[in-house]
Amino acid sequence: MSPPGPADTPGEPATVRAAGGPAVLKVLVTGGFGVGKTTAIGAVSEIEPVSTEEYLTHHSAATDSLDGVEAKHRTTVAFDFGRISFQEPVPIELMLFGTPGQDRFMDLWDDLARGAVGIVVLADTRRLESSFDAVTFCERTRLPFVVAVNQFDHAHRYPLAAIRQAFALTPHVPVVTCDAREATSVAAVLIHLVDHALSLLSASSPSTCLDV
């Protein structure tokens, strides 16, 4: 099944349903450089994920700081794509689009966000500031979003309330933890996002809901 086409604005989620088939929703996965976006999509995708990674070279050292992610050798330069389906509580398919993390690619984020039901912002507690722009982007698009703290090995575990405060999030924005390497963990974040997005849609327009 093809992914949903773009909506007229980023705030209008696109839904596609084949006859008797699951609803199809688009989800954006974003965050700073090296927070685990490609890893998360690869871990949860039921298909071979599409990736547009290139090797990091010394030419990019001035713009792509490896502080805290010294083991990183590749970076996304366009987008990642994967797909995951759920049968409960209702049949849905999520089309996952991962953004590049660097500031110079942010013009692409608006295009990737078109038609999305919501956004997952991945964060790394060792470098929370790398995902500040992603949160600002979500607030500007007015799309529902959740902040998912990727629990890297040896990274300090902060209370979620402290993460919320660091990002200056409003109370209705969920903050959760995850392990981007684990499919079940990433899937739980995605379900949390969809539940959050549908609850906001229902609250804002009780007579309108997505066909899921």
Side-chain angles (χ1 to χ4, degrees):
M1 182 179 295
S2 300
D8 292 337
T9 68
E12 298 178 0
T15 309
V16 176
R17 183 190 289 276
V24 179
L25 303 175
K26 180 180 180 181
V27 169
L28 196 67
V29 180
T30 190
F33 175 67
V35 296
K37 301 178 295 295
T38 299
T39 299
I41 291 175
V44 80
S45 181
E46 298 168 339
I47 62 172
E48 184 68 26
V50 176
S51 180
T52 56
E53 288 193 309
E54 294 292 344
Y55 283 102
L56 291 165
T57 70
H58 68 279
H59 296 293
S60 65
T63 55
D64 299 334
S65 173
L66 295 178
D67 290 344
V69 286
E70 289 80 7
K72 186 173 178 62
H73 301 294
R74 297 168 66 92
T75 186
T76 299
V77 295
F79 63 89
D80 298 316
F81 174 75
R83 184 187 72 204
I84 181 172
S85 58
F86 298 94
Q87 296 303 315
E88 299 293 339
V90 292
I92 61 172
E93 285 186 357
L94 300 184
M95 301 298 178
L96 310 175
F97 288 80
T99 71
Q102 298 93 324
D103 292 348
R104 64 182 182 276
F105 294 117
M106 287 190 67
D107 288 345
L108 180 62
W109 292 14
D110 284 310
D111 293 331
L112 292 174
R114 291 188 182 278
V117 70
I119 304 175
V120 173
V121 176
L122 279 176
D124 178 356
T125 59
R126 301 168 301 177
R127 302 174 300 114
L128 278 182
E129 69 282 356
S130 70
S131 291
F132 284 174
D133 285 342
V135 169
T136 300
F137 170 79
C138 293
E139 293 170 342
R140 177 172 61 80
T141 62
R142 298 185 180 181
L143 284 171
F145 70 99
V146 302
V147 173
V149 180
N150 189 6
Q151 296 188 314
F152 285 89
D153 293 337
H154 311 301
H156 188 77
R157 304 294 194 254
Y158 293 94
L160 295 184
I163 302 296
R164 178 181 300 280
Q165 183 176 13
F167 281 113
L169 299 172
T170 57
H172 75 274
V173 177
V175 182
V176 297
T177 60
C178 74
D179 185 334
R181 301 167 298 183
E182 297 292 334
T184 54
S185 182
V186 178
V189 173
L190 295 171
I191 288 296
H192 200 122
L193 171 66
V194 172
D195 286 344
H196 175 55
L198 294 181
S199 67
L200 290 179
L201 182 64
S202 176
S204 62
S205 181
S207 61
T208 304
C209 64
L210 292 178
D211 183 20
V212 289

